[in-house]
Amino acid sequence: MADAELTLRYGINPHQAPARIYRDGPLPTRVRNGSPGYINLLDALNSWQLVCELRQVLDLPAAASFKHVSPAGAAVGLPMDERAQAAYLVDDLELSPLATAYARARSADRVSSFGDWVALSDPMDVETARLIRREVSDGVIAPGFAPEALEILKKKQGGNYRVVEIDPGYRASEIERRDVFGITFEQRRNGYVPALDALGEAVTARKELPADARRDLAVAQIALKYTQSNSTCLAVDGQVIGMGAGQQSRIHCTRLAASKADLWWLRQHPAVAELRFKPKTGRTERDNAIDQFLRDDLTPTEISMWEELFETPPRHLSAEEKRAWLDRLQGVSMGSDAFIPFRDNIDRAATSGVRYVAQPGGSVRDEDVIHACDEYGMVMIFTGVRLFHH
């Protein structure tokens, strides 16, 4: 019989002990390896809900890369082209659809995904385990594990890699509670799931919403539902490419999400594929070096430090070369967890290829935002549903 309680090493910080998770009745989770902590399990339970909803809505294997209770990336298992495989550092692997979903989720923001928590919608196969084994990751949650996949993971982190299995049939109660400062908060769980045929009404001059855009808006909306607010998300080709999470200002959310999307696309520039690293340069060092290589504001000292990792000094891209490459990124979808208050969000999003927008609507400046979308030829829908998450 499953346990009703799991004792944890400590809470959110090491000095916050004792700590545990428990419920009235058996826990839907089982620890298969390692010793997950408080934050690990917050990531696990939030990310599990995200990938379940992606699976439900899009009928494809889904994965998420979670850090500090927000997704660094999320994706479904659509095929990748050779350029993406090289940029994601998986061109040497055979990937199942589930492994492909994780490779895409992990590579939305490879630097932020360092030490991530992995969520998988489907039982883990060997191909996914082999991919996870070589990434810096803290743990994984999935509805099951192939025996060989579990053995692979048990050897990670000196045997301490955290592996959590969850009952895929578990359903939480409609009412959820939490204690803050000795006071219990209670609310109805957020049961809204963005259905492909009910995302909302187009309010712009353009109304056409292609199937790919509808899929990507669903990806963005589902990811936002499990992201610390305020948040804005950019998605394309069935994956998150930029998440702006936890900002106090909507424009800061959009700038952050769009800048991450720009970096995601720039990492696929041919000049990046031509970089040659010194032997034995680790994957993490390569990820960090590529991000630094693509920055515009490096000091001479920083340039010298990062160039030590390359066999020959790289040719840095000019601002004009970057802009020309970024202009090739088109058809991006953007979701916002609350209404967009000013057109500056649309102006910034347009420079990162956004052509489809989903937001709740309800701002006193809705007409200004709609007008901005019309200027760029965007399609914007009003969902009527706010997706704050705290």
Side-chain angles (χ1 to χ4, degrees):
M1 182 175 178
D3 293 333
E5 176 179 327
L6 176 63
T7 300
L8 307 177
R9 291 168 295 166
Y10 49 76
I12 291 178
N13 296 293
H15 62 271
Q16 291 177 264
R20 63 175 178 156
I21 63 168
Y22 66 97
R23 66 186 296 265
D24 294 330
L27 290 171
T29 55
R30 179 163 66 119
V31 177
R32 302 296 301 274
N33 196 67
S35 179
Y38 194 106
I39 295 176
N40 291 152
L41 291 170
L42 285 175
D43 283 343
L45 295 177
N46 276 278
S47 59
W48 167 246
Q49 294 174 80
L50 191 164
V51 298
C52 282
E53 291 184 11
L54 285 178
R55 189 53 153 126
Q56 172 188 338
V57 171
L58 300 178
D59 195 26
L60 289 166
S65 172
F66 246 64
K67 284 288 294 289
H68 296 291
V69 206
S70 286
V76 292
L78 295 174
M80 292 183 288
D81 59 26
E82 292 182 358
R83 183 181 64 212
Q85 291 174 21
Y88 296 175
L89 306 181
V90 295
D91 50 347
D92 61 332
L93 292 176
E94 292 291 332
L95 298 179
S96 64
L98 185 64
T100 300
Y102 178 60
R104 297 165 114 243
R106 171 88 185 195
S107 295
D109 182 354
R110 291 193 60 82
V111 171
S112 293
S113 283
F114 177 87
D116 66 347
W117 186 274
V118 183
L120 304 173
S121 65
D122 294 21
M124 181 186 286
D125 52 26
V126 171
E127 293 86 350
T128 308
R130 287 173 177 159
L131 173 58
I132 292 173
R133 176 178 60 185
R134 67 187 201 179
E135 300 287 8
V136 179
S137 171
D138 274 1
V140 60
I141 186 169
F145 299 87
E148 186 180 347
L150 184 58
E151 290 306 309
I152 290 171
L153 295 182
K154 284 183 175 180
K155 297 174 183 176
K156 187 175 173 65
Q157 290 185 353
N160 294 318
Y161 188 68
R162 302 159 184 90
V163 179
V164 176
E165 184 174 345
I166 187 165
D167 176 4
Y170 170 71
R171 299 293 181 268
S173 63
E174 287 193 7
I175 301 300
E176 59 185 11
R177 301 172 181 86
R178 74 164 82 177
D179 287 348
V180 178
F181 199 49
I183 298 170
T184 300
F185 287 57
E186 180 178 283
Q187 67 173 356
R188 182 178 298 276
R189 291 184 66 250
N190 184 358
Y192 169 76
V193 179
L196 288 177
D197 58 353
L199 288 175
E201 176 188 358
V203 294
T204 44
R206 283 190 59 201
K207 309 289 185 184
E208 312 83 19
L209 199 60
D212 286 356
R214 193 176 295 275
R215 173 201 63 207
D216 296 339
L217 286 174
V219 169
Q221 292 290 99
I222 292 170
L224 287 168
K225 182 180 171 184
Y226 297 102
T227 301
Q228 296 297 294
S229 300
N230 282 331
S231 52
T232 300
C233 179
L234 271 61
V236 75
D237 196 26
Q239 73 176 91
V240 170
I241 61 171
M243 180 62 77
Q247 305 302 301
Q248 286 75 31
S249 166
R250 182 68 41 189
I251 185 58
H252 290 158
C253 300
T254 302
R255 289 172 183 165
L256 180 57
S259 65
K260 289 187 175 186
D262 289 350
L263 187 58
W264 167 83
W265 183 240
L266 285 169
R267 289 179 68 95
Q268 300 181 52
H269 192 285
V272 175
E274 294 169 1
L275 294 174
R276 295 294 175 262
F277 290 91
K278 291 180 179 178
K280 299 184 179 180
T281 303
R283 294 167 69 83
T284 299
E285 288 74 20
R286 292 186 182 213
D287 287 337
N288 289 332
I290 291 170
D291 273 19
Q292 299 301 326
F293 165 74
L294 293 170
R295 281 176 53 190
D296 295 321
D297 58 347
L298 284 177
T299 66
T301 300
E302 289 174 314
I303 291 174
S304 175
M305 177 181 68
W306 288 107
E307 286 187 346
E308 290 180 358
L309 297 177
F310 297 101
E311 288 186 339
T312 57
R315 180 186 68 82
H316 290 268
L317 295 170
S318 67
E320 292 75 18
E321 288 175 303
K322 291 180 182 178
R323 186 67 258 167
W325 182 255
L326 289 172
D327 287 342
R328 296 175 59 176
L329 178 59
Q330 297 294 325
V332 176
S333 294
M334 181 176 81
S336 177
D337 66 354
F339 65 68
I340 297 176
F342 298 100
R343 68 163 292 157
D344 52 0
N345 293 271
I346 302 303
D347 294 327
R348 176 61 187 91
T351 68
S352 295
V354 170
R355 292 297 175 268
Y356 307 98
V357 180
Q359 60 135 325
S363 167
V364 296
R365 297 181 180 83
D366 276 348
E367 290 304 317
D368 293 341
V369 175
I370 293 170
H371 181 67
C373 288
D374 287 339
E375 287 182 11
Y376 292 110
M378 294 181 183
V379 178
M380 182 166 66
I381 62 173
F382 280 1
T383 66
V385 180
R386 195 176 77 177
L387 293 172
F388 278 172
H389 182 62
H390 292 277

